Amino acid sequence: MTSTHPICCGPLDATSPFPQALPGLVMRSCAFDPALLAADAFVQHGIPAPASIQRSVAKRQAEYFAGRLCARDALLALTGRADVPALGDDRAPLWPEGVSGSISHSHGLAAALVADQRQWRGLGLDLEEPLATPRALKLAAEILTPEELRRLAAFTPEQQAARITLTFSIKESLFKALYPLVGTRFYFQDAELLEADDDGRARLRLLIDLSAEWRAGRELGGWHCLFRERLLSLVAVEA
C-alpha cells in the first residue's frame, strides 16, 4: 500500500457539518472524480475490491473506493486500526466487531461515519443532491406517505422539492441505521417524517413492526444539514 494520497480523491475532511455535536461520532468525507481513478488504485492504496466492484463501471468503482477510503480513516481515528469494511452479501458494509458505521456518496462526494457500538447501536448517513422541483413532485407519491403528502400542500413548489428530498434522504438514513438491528427490509411507506426544523433536527415514526423492540409508533430523532451543496442526513440510535 502506498502512502501517497490517491489522485482521484480530494483531501480527507474530518469536519462534522451537523449543527449539533454528537459525542463519539467520527466522520470523514472527501470529493472524488471517477475520471481520475487509476486502474491500480485499489491495489496501490490497500482498498480490497470485491468481484462485483471489479466488474462495475468506473463511476461505481470510484464511489466504492472513496467511501472505503473515508471509512478506513474514520476507523483509524476511532479504533487505531486502519480497517476497510468489506461488502456483505446484502451489499451493506461489514464493520469491525464493536463498531457501528455508515457510508454514503453522491455526485462526487463521499462520507463515512463510525462510532463505538457501546455508545451508538446504529448509524445511518445519507448524502443526496437536491432534487429539481419537477422530478421531486413526480416522485413524491413514491417517497411520501398520504399524511406526508397532505402536509406538503402547505409549502411552495420549491419548498416541496426540498421537503421531498429531505424525506427521501432521512428515510434512507433510517433504513441504514435500523436494518443491521432488525434484519428486516422496509420501505419509504413504512416510516413517516413528522417534523424537520430549520435547526437541523428531525423526528420520524415507524408505521410497521420491524421487531419486538422496533414496533409501529416508535419515534426516532434525526439530523439534517446542507454540506457542500448536498443534503446530508443522519439517524443515530443510542445504546
Side-chain angles (χ1 to χ4, degrees):
M1 180 178 69
T2 181
S3 60
T4 60
H5 193 74
I7 61 171
C8 64
C9 295
L12 289 164
D13 185 354
T15 303
S16 175
F18 293 104
Q20 179 181 354
L22 300 178
L25 296 182
V26 178
M27 181 173 163
R28 293 291 186 272
S29 63
C30 74
F32 66 92
D33 184 349
L36 298 178
L37 180 68
D40 62 350
F42 285 92
V43 173
Q44 287 296 315
H45 297 280
I47 306 289
S52 61
I53 296 300
Q54 295 177 34
R55 296 190 298 266
S56 297
V57 298
K59 176 178 178 293
R60 174 62 183 133
Q61 289 182 355
E63 291 170 345
Y64 187 92
F65 181 88
R68 262 50 184 189
L69 191 73
C70 291
R72 181 174 66 188
D73 202 67
L75 286 168
L76 179 61
L78 179 72
T79 68
R81 301 185 307 271
D83 295 319
V84 178
L87 187 66
D89 292 338
D90 56 4
R91 305 192 65 78
L94 297 176
W95 298 98
E97 184 176 355
V99 173
S100 57
S102 187
I103 301 172
S104 189
H105 43 74
S106 175
H107 295 81
L109 182 64
L113 189 71
V114 297
D116 190 314
Q117 280 185 338
R118 293 171 295 183
Q119 191 168 8
W120 298 99
R121 295 171 57 199
L123 295 175
L125 189 71
D126 186 68
L127 276 166
E128 296 294 337
E129 190 169 69
L131 291 168
T133 300
R135 177 164 172 75
L137 297 178
K138 184 176 180 180
L139 294 174
E142 298 178 27
I143 299 167
L144 276 62
T145 65
E147 181 59 25
E148 289 170 330
L149 286 170
R150 186 191 66 77
R151 292 196 294 266
L152 197 67
F155 300 116
T156 67
E158 291 75 17
Q159 291 171 331
Q160 290 177 349
R163 184 71 171 212
I164 293 164
T165 302
L166 173 58
T167 304
F168 178 92
S169 180
I170 206 159
K171 287 183 180 182
E172 287 283 331
S173 291
L174 178 68
F175 177 84
K176 291 181 179 181
L178 289 187
Y179 176 70
L181 303 180
V182 302
T184 300
R185 292 193 174 276
F186 58 99
Y187 304 94
F188 291 118
Q189 300 292 326
D190 297 332
E192 179 182 10
L193 176 60
L194 299 172
E195 297 175 344
D197 60 34
D198 294 336
D199 294 329
R201 297 299 304 268
R203 189 163 57 92
L204 303 105
R205 178 167 58 204
L206 293 177
L207 300 179
I208 63 168
D209 292 342
L210 297 176
S211 70
E213 178 183 5
W214 298 96
R215 294 190 177 277
R218 180 149 182 187
E219 297 184 7
L220 301 91
W223 294 265
H224 61 95
C225 64
L226 283 176
F227 181 54
R228 298 190 185 183
E229 300 180 348
R230 295 161 185 80
L231 175 67
L232 180 66
S233 69
L234 166 66
V235 173
V237 181
E238 288 191 77

